[in-house]
Amino acid sequence: MELLHEEKVCCPYCNEVIVILVDLEDLGQEYIEDCRVCCQPISVQVTTNIKDELMVIIYNENEA
């Protein structure tokens, strides 16, 4: 099983689509990753939905 997964997300600051690399061992974790376009800190939450599918939730610092 591959533990790294590429996920396309939209930066909550500049609205650019960026690709983040998600480690599947980080399920249930929250961490900060800088946007590669505008360098703003994005909060990333890695979880699963009711069907056990990977979900990556992102938001800016002000929404935390």
Side-chain angles (χ1 to χ4, degrees):
M1 180 177 167
E2 184 123 357
L3 294 179
L4 296 178
H5 173 75
E6 286 186 352
E7 186 74 22
K8 289 183 182 179
V9 297
C10 185
C11 173
Y13 296 98
C14 67
N15 291 321
E16 289 290 328
V17 175
I18 59 172
V19 176
I20 60 172
L21 196 57
V22 177
D23 187 341
L24 298 181
E25 290 185 347
D26 288 342
L27 283 175
Q29 300 293 316
E30 188 172 328
Y31 59 92
I32 304 292
E33 184 163 326
D34 290 341
C35 174
R36 290 177 180 88
V37 177
C38 69
C39 299
Q40 294 291 322
I42 302 171
S43 294
V44 179
Q45 183 180 15
V46 181
T47 187
T48 57
N49 64 13
I50 197 162
K51 295 179 183 178
D52 209 28
E53 299 168 330
L54 179 69
M55 287 182 55
V56 177
I57 303 166
I58 62 161
Y59 48 93
N60 67 40
E61 283 184 314
N62 298 328
E63 296 175 328

